[in-house]
Amino acid sequence: MIRRRKQKAAFQLSMGFIIGLIFAVILLTLSIMWIRGVFDQFGSMTDDLTQNAKANLATTFDNSQTNFDVSPAAYKMDPSHSVKLSAGVKNDDDNAEMHTYILRVFPATADASILDAEGCSDPSDIETCPTLKDDMLRWVTYSKYADSIKPNDKGYWDISIGFPQDVKKGNYVLDVVACADSDWASCSRTSPDKWGRTKQLTITAK
């Protein structure tokens, strides 16, 4: 009789363990699904415009005298979001020579209300806003390596821009520059080897 009770108790304990294990597996599965959903949500916060951007740039180069441009030139997005767009170069060198090209992006300005809130000593000059300038530089990611482009050929760079959660609403303007046969550090808005015109890129925080 005692042995039967022990066997019954052992059986009940085993069943309880098995049921607990099943619940644990179910909870783990639900947790993994939730985590995947969160990561998918974050992944969808990046708008990849590069395919259309490169197509638009190619059309611009084929139908005008433009040899450097950015597409799109303006974009609006929410805090914690990011966008990936493109800049492009056409090697229309008169001597039909191959060149290496490099891209550089500079903070240019922002809305007066933003510059004012940042405490800039001169609201018309972003150089007097070191914190904002550094923030804008951190938001931007792009390749700093040179790309060789054959005569009459085109080259493209992807530019990613991401806003933090606490970004102030308004317009932020970047100057985008391409230089030929130069290194990244030497390429600037006033470089003698600058290719084409400086292009402005406006990103608006909604």
Side-chain angles (χ1 to χ4, degrees), residues 83-111:
V83 63
K84 184 184 286 188
L85 41 84
S86 297
V89 160
K90 179 181 180 180
N91 182 356
D92 57 356
D93 180 60
D94 293 336
N95 297 321
E97 295 179 353
M98 184 167 71
H99 294 282
T100 59
Y101 297 88
I102 200 155
L103 190 76
R104 192 160 183 188
V105 180
F106 299 89
T109 189
D111 284 348

Side-chain angles (χ1 to χ4, degrees), residues 50-141:
T50 54
Q51 185 173 354
N52 287 337
K54 290 172 184 175
N56 291 337
L57 290 169
T59 300
T60 298
F61 294 147
D62 290 340
N63 295 284
S64 70
Q65 298 299 313
T66 302
N67 58 9
F68 173 63
D69 208 351
V70 177
S71 180
Y75 194 73
K76 297 179 180 180
M77 61 185 182
D78 294 317
S80 295
H81 281 63
S82 61
V83 63
K84 184 184 286 188
L85 41 84
S86 297
V89 160
K90 179 181 180 180
N91 182 356
D92 57 356
D93 180 60
D94 293 336
N95 297 321
E97 295 179 353
M98 184 167 71
H99 294 282
T100 59
Y101 297 88
I102 200 155
L103 190 76
R104 192 160 183 188
V105 180
F106 299 89
T109 189
D111 284 348
S113 58
I114 297 173
L115 297 175
D116 215 30
E118 291 290 334
C120 307
S121 58
D122 181 357
S124 65
D125 185 4
I126 200 169
E127 295 298 327
T128 67
C129 312
T131 301
L132 176 61
K133 181 181 175 182
D134 290 344
D135 285 343
M136 291 174 68
L137 285 172
R138 277 193 295 270
W139 300 345
V140 184
T141 305

Side-chain angles (χ1 to χ4, degrees), residues 29-45:
T29 302
L30 291 174
S31 299
I32 291 172
M33 291 174 65
W34 179 80
I35 291 171
R36 284 180 177 175
V38 170
F39 276 103
D40 288 344
Q41 183 180 11
F42 276 110
S44 65
M45 289 182 177

